[in-house]
Amino acid sequence: MTDDLVTALRPLLTAEASAEAYAAGAEPGDLEQAVWLRLLERVDAEGPPPDPQQWLRRAVRSEARRTRRTSRLERPYGVEPADDGDLGPEQLALAAARGRALRAAVHRLPGRCPRLMEALLSPEDLTYREIAGELGISQGSLGPERSRCLGCLRRLLTPEVAAR
């Protein structure tokens, strides 16, 4: 596929995908990506289409129809399949041990890092503003401070992870 073909078709594809996406229940970028892939496959198998603009319009509409059919057939899960709520005793013991190791490493961190990490790991899901107020530091310095603390924590945990 040539750069000229891509450059010539990009504005048309963007417009066509934007026009078809809403009715298909898809994102315009997803339709664009599917059509680019289809064009690549076409060029590899048969060469470029004789009328690229007409081919592109048909391909966008075809992908939109395929997306509509797929969305009609798909149904959401009743429960999250990745939710493994039935953990056995061994998994529970290992998870508890990992949690204890993490908490112990957090308490060994220098400076304000233990308090910051405890606030970030809090089940209350505190905002940066709340954490900054609790620690008495500016909200803008939370990101860099967090990065430094995570770096320290990573260095503390590396020997423990490598030992296993």
Side-chain angles (χ1 to χ4, degrees):
M1 188 159 60
T2 66
D3 291 336
D4 296 337
L5 184 61
V6 171
T7 304
L9 292 178
R10 180 174 283 134
L12 179 61
L13 177 56
T14 300
E16 291 288 328
S18 295
E20 293 288 333
Y22 180 76
E27 294 290 322
D30 292 343
L31 283 178
E32 287 182 48
Q33 188 176 26
V35 172
W36 283 127
L37 180 61
R38 187 185 277 196
L39 181 59
L40 280 172
E41 291 169 344
R42 155 85 194 221
V43 168
D44 282 346
E46 305 169 30
D51 184 4
Q53 289 82 10
Q54 186 62 33
W55 179 91
L56 185 125
R57 287 184 183 100
R58 283 195 313 268
V60 169
R61 284 172 184 76
S62 174
E63 283 299 322
R65 282 192 306 273
R66 186 191 59 74
T67 301
R68 278 193 298 274
R69 279 192 311 270
T70 301
S71 67
R72 279 195 302 260
L73 297 174
E74 291 176 342
R75 297 290 174 245
Y77 283 114
V79 296
E80 185 63 36
D83 180 22
D84 199 8
D86 300 338
L87 295 177
E90 183 179 1
Q91 288 84 14
L92 291 173
L94 290 172
R98 281 191 300 270
R100 283 191 302 274
L102 176 63
R103 281 190 299 281
V106 165
H107 289 295
R108 291 193 316 259
L109 290 171
R112 314 188 262 231
C113 287
R115 289 185 57 213
L116 174 61
M117 296 307 295
E118 288 292 337
L120 288 170
L121 295 171
S122 168
E124 296 169 16
D125 198 23
L126 301 172
T127 64
Y128 265 29
R129 179 176 295 199
E130 293 168 334
I131 293 171
E134 184 178 308
L135 298 178
I137 59 176
S138 72
Q139 188 174 342
S141 66
L142 271 180
E145 184 82 19
R146 184 186 119 244
S147 293
R148 282 190 294 279
C149 293
L150 286 174
C152 289
L153 185 60
R154 194 173 297 115
R155 285 188 295 279
L156 281 174
L157 290 174
T158 300
E160 293 179 20
V161 172
R164 293 180 187 159

